[in-house]
Amino acid sequence: MNNKLHSIKEILLMGPGPSLPYPEVYDALGTPTLGHLDPKFIEIMDDIKAMLKVVFNTESDVIIPVSGTGSCGMEAALVNLIEPGDSVLVLENGVFGQRQYEIASRLHADVDILSFPWGTAVVPDEVEKALSKKKYKIVSMVHAETSTGVCNPAGAIGELTHSHGCCYILDTVTSLGGIPVEIDKWHVDASYSGTQKCLACPPGLSPLVLSSKAMEIIRSRKTKIPNWYLDMNLITQYWGGKQRAYHHTAPINMLYGLYQSLLLVTEETLAAVYKRHLDAHKFLVDELKELGLDMVVEEAYRLPMLNSIWIPSGVDDKSIRSRLLNEFFIEIGAGLGKFSGKVWRIGLMGNTARKENVSKLIRALHEVLK
Ligand code: PLP
């Protein structure tokens, strides 16, 4: 049989993720596989945790790259923290807020959803009203809503959840490593991310951080965590302490990739990485304007790493995207959910977030939109 891998050409990944991995990450993936309890590998695990603490801006020692993609991290956060009957409020303004709601709703909890129009941000005053009306144990929100390109006010919501004594879950799948994420300052109790966005790794891991308050909630649960694979009481025994206990076989080589990407991010410095994302974004916005394409999100709430644009009327969504892919080897994202067929999503994440990549896309868009 022909090996199909041999004919794969590199695509400039400018969609909502995966982004273009760093070349050093590809190299790291091919490092010889060690056993998951090999002392050398445990040192790598400890370094990953130390570097994730920097990227998440936290002092918490409970940081675990969950074996699975961003949705697995989402499931891990919710399934560990929510017990049957708990009151939960999900703040929703896109597909990933809906997904949080969907997962929470399967846990026999009392789940409310507070929705905001897609393309606009969560409004802290509305959240304050909801928190004053009912006592919620858990409030959950997405920081960077990838389906729309909106940056939600994670710090302001953290102030509110803190003053109302709620446990705060924040999705940082798309934001981590692209814009500041301040776990401790924003009083976040649980946050999960993904490797395939601004960390510029292939998909497969979901870094998860839990505060001491979150761990207290987990330890004092009345009911068993209804998911063995994601039970943090068990997984923390592999990721922490002197005596590491086998739980499941860690995806060793994926963790090498994450290790390498975190080394690159911390060497470049977070400030420089954020600036690279912002510079590429500003350049893209200016160039799109020249092409006559309109941004979906108001400037104040725009994410640098996910740019939603309205598809001009009369333009065929699918044929433009497939021409970009087949003739120019560039992938951009389609609209999701309510935005399907209405918007394109241009990702500037991780190693993709460079002005030269923006220039390539703009030249290609010029051709295909002629
Ligand atoms: N949360 C957000 C904000 C996302 O953008 C995504 C994926 O795009 C997810 C969660 C789910 O992650 P995954 O597709 O890696 O499971």
Side-chain angles (χ1 to χ4, degrees), residues 16-17 69-72 74 96 99 142 144-147 171-174 192 194 196-197 203:
T69 64
S71 309
C72 193
M74 188 187 290
F96 296 102
R99 189 171 296 181
V142 175
E145 186 41 88
T146 327
S147 60
D171 175 313
T172 53
V173 170
T174 286
Y192 55 88
Q196 77 273 25
K197 312 265 185 179

Side-chain angles (χ1 to χ4, degrees), residues 265-285:
V265 167
T266 45
E267 274 165 20
E268 186 178 349
T269 77
L270 280 176
V273 172
Y274 299 153
K275 183 172 181 305
R276 181 158 57 72
H277 281 81
L278 196 59
D279 288 349
H281 161 75
K282 285 184 179 159
F283 183 49
L284 175 73
V285 172

